[in-house]
Amino acid sequence: MNRRSFLKQTSLGLAATTLVPAQKTPRPNIVFILADDIGYGDLSCYGAKQVSTPNLDRLAKMGLRFTDAHTTSATCTPSRYAIMTGEYPWRKPGTNVLPGDAKLIIDPAQPTLPRMLQSAGYKTGCVGKWHLGLGNGGVDWNGEISPGPLELGFDESFIIPATGDRVPCVYIEGHRVVGLNPKDPIAVSYLKKVGDEPTGKEHPEYLKMPLSAGHDMTIVNGISRIGYMSGGHSALWVDEDMAGVLNRRALKFIDDHHKEPFFLYFATHDIHVPRVPSAQFRGTSHCGVRCDVIRELDDSAGQVLAALEKYGLMENTIIIFSSDNGAVVDDGYADGAAESLNGHKPSGPLRGGKYSVYEGGTRVPFSVTWKGKIQPGVSDAMISQVDLLASFAAFTGSKVAAKDSQDISGALFGKAKTARTELVEHAGARLGLRQGQWKYAGAGGNQKAELFDLSSDPGETKDLSQQKPQLMKQMAQRLAAIRAS
Ligand code: CA
């Protein structure tokens, strides 16, 4: 410790009459707000006109807003797997979208983002949507639910196990379902009906939101879900309250840990289906319920910002905002989202969205803010969320072995204009490869391979595979080499 910091810490220690522990390396807090299914065009700072997102806009304006930031995958589970492990999810079988009773798909022995930060001296908290599986298979929802977030390096967790549209519809804190009455045990199955609860298929007249596809199993809170459950009545969530419940837990984590370095992974349920905003936000946009929940998401982010400002932590906190995959409009419930777009383009100028290998599948809003440390602006660097592990490992001086995760901290903190030279994009059976302006969309399902020049054709409308066979071949070979590596 140098003399100046020694004096500073000593005087702080005297003022607070407690000892401030010495630290070798600065440890700014890290808050990662991960929205669900927010598309590239869904925020006003990314061009949306029919819905405004003043808090997320303010956050982006205080920091760096990226125009070419990606999730690894166009759906929730694989995308989140990559954030946690720094590994492309398509390397590992079983990382596709999981049912709500799936076992944990990350081996507790794997390196993870939260464990790396925990080892670096951070208090780590996980709030919100999990969707990476829990337990070792055949989880007992009435007992200890483990392994889960706590076994992967989070000190605290308050989660929804999978998604809002999948059972079980309960919150889990640590290893236990919150508010469970042991006399009313929970049973869950994704194979057959359990208990006597009505299903959407049998009783569509009970539904407050009609279905468009699937989602016709157990009805909870007037909404039928994917999967069957019975029991646990005292523990069931109320969809209208979910954003508030999760937000309060995120704020509690900041309240509890504002005096020590903390990492908060705040994975909102908004704006995934079922889209059920609280009364405060219903009808507050010009593009239907999907945009109303964007407003609700924006408010959640605003409350986190306000808490950090209240504690004077803005200069000592890195705040990242992003989404886990691109936009979807009709995702199984007939909630009027498609009919009410009113000109709103959820993917902005990009083609495709959630489930798609086109840019709209994986290119998402991404901002990083660190007041006084990161020069505000816009970055066109190509980055991926899979890089957060290696980048924050480099930042904290930690060692991790994660082959797909690159240290892009230069671009992340605005010191470099470029980052990745290539990037794999993933949507179900299709893989894509980005190399600068070029986009190779590999074959998969019934679709053949395609090639696009994003510099002249950002909307991927003109397939150049016939005009540029040599480049097609090179990129196909490169993608195959990355897969084999
Ligand atoms: Ca998602």
Side-chain angles (χ1 to χ4, degrees):
M1 190 188 302
N2 66 33
R3 183 177 159 79
R4 185 179 295 171
S5 66
F6 174 78
L7 286 174
K8 192 174 167 201
Q9 294 203 352
T10 306
S11 65
L12 276 175
L14 288 172
T17 64
T18 54
L19 284 176
V20 178
Q23 276 187 355
K24 291 190 199 80
T25 322
R27 290 281 184 267
N29 309 306
I30 301 165
V31 174
F32 184 15
I33 304 174
L34 183 65
D36 201 341
D37 295 0
I38 279 281
Y40 192 74
D42 272 331
L43 309 183
S44 33
C45 57
Y46 280 83
K49 296 278 188 282
Q50 303 298 339
V51 57
S52 80
T53 51
N55 293 295
L56 291 169
D57 294 2
R58 184 162 80 89
L59 183 64
K61 205 166 183 178
M62 280 191 285
L64 260 187
R65 183 174 68 80
F66 286 77
T67 63
D68 201 6
H70 292 255
T71 65
T72 60
S73 310
T75 49
C76 313
T77 300
S79 169
R80 287 156 197 260
Y81 174 87
I83 290 168
M84 290 293 164
T85 65
E87 180 181 59
Y88 280 137
W90 42 264
R91 293 195 188 281
K92 182 163 170 171
T95 57
N96 280 327
V97 177
L98 294 174
D101 61 350
K103 66 177 183 178
L104 180 66
I105 56 169
I106 299 173
D107 183 341
Q110 277 178 270
T112 67
L113 180 65
R115 180 172 302 105
M116 182 274 291
L117 292 171
Q118 190 182 51
S119 304
Y122 283 84
K123 186 62 77 172
T124 53
C126 173
V127 176
K129 173 171 161 173
W130 182 239
H131 211 187
L132 291 164
L134 292 164
N136 289 316
V139 59
D140 176 7
W141 301 100
N142 308 293
E144 292 269 314
I145 300 161
S146 174
L150 301 189
E151 286 64 39
L152 298 182
F154 285 109
D155 294 309
E156 299 176 19
S157 70
F158 185 97
I159 59 172
I160 69 169
T163 58
D165 58 347
R166 285 178 174 81
V167 300
C169 301
V170 293
Y171 300 107
I172 297 175
E173 181 169 16
H175 291 144
R176 290 275 177 179
V177 169
V178 178
L180 180 64
N181 174 0
K183 291 180 181 150
D184 180 27
I186 295 171
V188 168
S189 173
Y190 276 71
L191 303 173
K192 61 180 194 316
K193 186 174 172 179
V194 290
D196 309 323
E197 301 295 331
T199 67
K201 190 172 186 179
E202 298 159 349
H203 290 288
E205 73 278 13
Y206 292 171
L207 299 176
K208 59 184 173 190
M209 185 188 289
L211 309 171
S212 62
H215 296 94
D216 61 356
M217 295 164 226
T218 301
I219 298 173
V220 176
N221 187 30
I223 299 166
S224 61
R225 317 278 168 162
I226 305 174
Y228 302 98
M229 79 173 286
S230 66
H233 291 86
S234 61
L236 296 174
W237 69 50
V238 175
D239 302 78
E240 289 81 349
D241 301 341
M242 185 180 284
V245 168
L246 297 179
N247 209 359
R248 282 192 291 280
R249 295 305 297 216
L251 299 181
K252 180 178 186 306
F253 183 81
I254 295 171
D255 283 341
D256 290 348
H257 301 294
H258 70 274
K259 290 182 179 163
E260 58 192 329
F262 63 82
F263 167 53
L264 171 62
Y265 172 75
F266 178 28
T268 70
H269 171 255
D270 283 328
I271 61 164
H272 199 280
V273 296
R275 302 175 187 119
V276 193
S278 65
Q280 187 190 347
F281 292 98
R282 189 167 281 282
T284 56
S285 73
H286 301 289
C287 35
V289 70
R290 185 176 176 280
C291 291
D292 295 346
V293 290
I294 294 176
R295 297 276 302 160
E296 190 171 65
L297 164 72
D298 184 70
D299 181 72
S300 294
Q303 291 193 44
V304 170
L305 263 179
L308 295 171
E309 283 167 339
K310 177 182 80 178
Y311 287 119
L313 291 176
M314 288 301 286
E315 281 87 357
N316 192 35
T317 304
I318 299 167
I319 309 160
I320 297 173
F321 173 82
S322 196
S323 174
D324 70 335
N325 52 250
V328 59
V329 177
D330 183 339
D331 208 9
Y333 293 102
D335 60 7
E339 298 82 347
S340 337
L341 282 173
N342 196 19
H344 176 64
K345 292 191 175 121
S347 297
L350 305 179
R351 179 176 177 182
K354 185 176 183 180
Y355 313 112
S356 163
V357 80
Y358 302 112
E359 290 293 293
T362 63
R363 204 193 299 188
V364 289
F366 188 104
S367 65
V368 54
T369 304
W370 187 6
K371 202 174 169 189
K373 299 290 197 307
I374 294 178
Q375 182 80 24
V378 175
S379 174
D380 298 327
M382 184 165 69
I383 62 168
S384 168
Q385 292 171 358
V386 78
D387 300 325
L388 291 173
L389 177 59
S391 301
F392 279 103
F395 180 71
T396 57
S398 309
K399 294 261 182 292
V400 288
K403 63 183 160 192
D404 296 315
S405 187
Q406 299 182 5
D407 175 10
I408 53 137
S409 51
L412 207 57
F413 298 136
K415 307 287 185 210
K417 287 198 180 326
T418 56
R420 284 180 161 266
T421 56
E422 60 183 11
L423 170 75
V424 177
E425 300 174 346
H426 166 226
R430 293 189 88 180
L431 290 182
L433 179 66
R434 276 283 307 279
Q435 288 179 331
Q437 77 203 72
W438 297 105
K439 164 73 172 278
Y440 169 80
N446 300 323
Q447 288 165 297
K448 64 180 182 58
E450 299 161 285
L451 181 73
F452 303 99
D453 179 356
L454 299 178
S455 64
S456 60
D457 180 26
E460 296 169 280
T461 59
K462 293 184 278 289
D463 174 20
L464 302 175
S465 56
Q466 301 303 311
Q467 286 93 317
K468 294 193 171 290
Q470 194 59 33
L471 184 58
M472 275 294 278
K473 193 175 161 194
Q474 281 169 15
M475 290 186 79
Q477 285 173 346
R478 179 61 192 149
L479 180 57
I482 297 171
R483 290 185 75 165
S485 67

